[in-house]
Amino acid sequence: MNLECFHEYCLQKKFAEECFPFDEDHLVFKVLGKMFAIADLSSETATANLKCDPAYALELRQEYPEDIYPGWHMNKKHWNSVRLEGNLPDAMICKLIDHSYERVVAGLPRNQQSLLG
């Protein structure tokens, strides 16, 4: 998946917004103010950090060691770095984006969750 497709897919999420809170090289996607994805625009290989259930994160890292590894500059228990242009099918990357978004939404207060339906 190239960065453009990643960008478009993330913005399709309900109440998703993009920003550059750190620098011009790291595009952050948020839902109601909480990060669910970070794309590294400066890397030679397109990568993104995605939130993940800790047990599932370990499972993914073992199954796809070339393309999924502990989140760079993130809490390594809850975030994975994913090579977007590696060997992972686009459908798998979309599933990981969905999972990240859902994890963040699950942590929002109930009144904010109700806005999302």
Side-chain angles (χ1 to χ4, degrees):
M1 174 179 283
N2 64 34
L3 276 172
E4 184 177 329
C5 292
F6 177 83
H7 177 261
E8 289 173 13
Y9 192 79
C10 286
L11 286 180
Q12 289 176 9
K13 299 292 181 194
K14 196 168 189 179
F15 288 104
E17 60 183 4
E18 62 183 316
C19 60
F20 288 90
F22 307 117
D23 56 39
E24 65 276 352
D25 293 330
H26 294 91
L27 176 59
V28 174
F29 296 91
K30 295 180 177 184
V31 55
L32 298 176
K34 300 291 184 180
M35 292 188 300
F36 70 92
I38 305 168
D40 183 353
L41 305 178
S42 67
S43 176
E44 283 183 28
T45 307
T47 59
N49 285 342
L50 299 170
K51 194 157 191 164
C52 193
D53 170 77
Y56 187 41
L58 292 174
E59 184 181 311
L60 289 167
R61 294 172 197 167
Q62 290 175 354
E63 190 169 346
Y64 306 100
E66 298 287 319
D67 295 308
I68 301 176
Y69 44 93
W72 187 72
H73 280 291
M74 302 299 284
N75 180 326
K76 305 208 181 331
K77 181 178 179 181
H78 295 281
W79 290 83
N80 279 335
S81 288
V82 177
R83 287 183 57 213
L84 300 177
E85 296 176 336
N87 297 315
L88 296 174
D90 288 358
M92 175 68 167
I93 294 171
C94 289
K95 179 181 171 185
L96 295 174
I97 295 167
D98 294 344
H99 178 71
S100 180
Y101 179 86
E102 291 163 6
R103 295 280 300 170
V104 172
V105 168
L108 293 171
R110 287 200 176 130
N111 63 336
Q112 288 183 327
Q113 288 180 22
S114 66
L115 290 173
L116 297 164

